[in-house]
Amino acid sequence: MKLEIEGRVALVVGASRGIGFAIAQALNAEGAKVAMAARGIDDLKSAAGSIGRGASSHAADVTDPAAAQALVDDVERQWGTIDILVCNVGSGTSVQPGKETAAEWSRVMGINLFATTNTIEAARPLMSRGDGDRAIVCVSSICGLAALGAPVTYSAAKAALNATVRGLARPLALEGIRINAVAPGNILSADGTWARKIAENEPAVDEMLARDVPLRRLGKPEEVADIVAFLASPRAAFITGTVIVADGGQLRA
């Protein structure tokens, strides 16, 4: 299926590794120009360089609203517009349930919610100038949909992100912008949490998969990226305000 995004400009935030990098690759493979953003410039330049033509790197910490605006301005100067915005900033690292502090709530919300809302706020005026069917896709988590033993701060932030996507769908539709989210389950990437857990205790991971995941395996970043690319494309033109789960059946919906 051709996604009809050739020549479109996509800003992917959190693009230097894992799911974000796979998303940048998928969009570029479909012919989009991809502005890749992350905090670490060295990893970012390496990632953009591996994609090659049609990819650019932009260092930014979008937990800061001013930095998010500067990022959007930089992309506009280089590529002229933003047709697709992918918000992939996030981290599940936090304290154990019951150990939360005000400072930890603020930190985790900043990474997992405000980084996204800051970027949407910055990009919205530019995206709304387009000719319709601009798309925002946010990477959430199944932890925002059910109590799965993840840190409470992280789960709450992702639940708030899902609510944000649903709540913004109507006002953004009036500006020709669709917004959706993907909620992945357990995804294996080269330098991610599950790679570390496998290295530490692979039998325990196998046991968890057999117990909790009907498909009995971890997901791949490319599988999430394919969903994001579809949602960002005109092929998904009648879809907005939706959170799509990709978790191997773990939620038992």
Side-chain angles (χ1 to χ4, degrees):
M1 178 187 292
K2 289 187 67 64
L3 296 184
E4 302 174 6
I5 59 173
E6 295 92 344
R8 297 200 175 195
V9 176
L11 170 57
V12 182
V13 186
S16 61
R17 61 172 66 93
I19 291 173
F21 178 61
I23 292 168
Q25 284 184 307
L27 294 172
N28 182 260
E30 290 288 335
K33 302 168 186 175
V34 183
M36 301 168 64
R39 289 183 295 183
I41 188 61
D42 292 337
D43 288 346
L44 187 59
K45 285 184 175 180
S46 176
S50 69
I51 290 177
R53 186 175 180 180
S56 60
S57 55
H58 307 262
D61 180 356
V62 294
T63 61
D64 175 5
Q69 185 61 61
L71 169 62
V72 168
D73 293 342
D74 191 30
V75 174
E76 183 182 13
R77 279 191 296 270
Q78 178 154 3
W79 296 110
T81 190
I82 296 174
D83 302 299
I84 297 164
L85 172 62
V86 180
C87 298
N88 177 57
V89 176
S91 171
T93 302
S94 186
V95 297
Q96 294 181 345
K99 302 294 185 180
E100 301 83 14
T101 64
E104 183 64 1
W105 276 109
S106 180
R107 185 189 72 83
V108 176
M109 285 290 180
I111 295 169
N112 292 289
L113 176 62
F114 300 142
T116 293
T117 57
N118 289 342
T119 309
I120 292 173
E121 181 180 1
R124 181 176 179 176
L126 179 59
M127 296 182 73
S128 66
R129 290 184 222 150
D131 54 1
D133 201 35
R134 302 291 175 100
I136 299 171
V137 185
C138 303
V139 178
S140 182
S141 168
I142 59 171
C143 295
L145 297 168
L148 299 171
V152 175
T153 52
Y154 176 70
S155 299
K158 290 303 189 182
L161 176 59
N162 295 339
T164 299
V165 166
R166 294 182 179 112
L168 286 178
R170 285 179 178 269
L172 288 179
L174 299 177
E175 301 171 22
I177 303 170
R178 294 182 296 107
I179 182 168
N180 293 287
V182 179
N186 304 312
I187 305 299
L188 176 63
S189 57
D191 54 357
T193 298
W194 286 103
R196 175 180 55 79
K197 289 184 177 182
I198 289 172
E200 293 172 351
N201 191 343
E202 187 170 0
V205 174
D206 291 339
E207 180 183 353
M208 181 280 295
L209 293 172
R211 181 184 66 246
D212 295 336
V213 183
L215 293 186
R216 297 195 170 204
R217 68 173 177 87
L218 299 168
K220 303 173 185 177
E222 294 78 12
E223 292 171 320
V224 179
D226 286 344
I227 299 170
V228 172
F230 170 71
L231 289 173
S233 78
R235 295 287 187 171
F238 200 52
I239 303 174
T240 195
T242 295
V243 179
I244 294 181
V245 172
D247 71 344
Q250 186 172 354
L251 286 183
R252 291 172 170 78

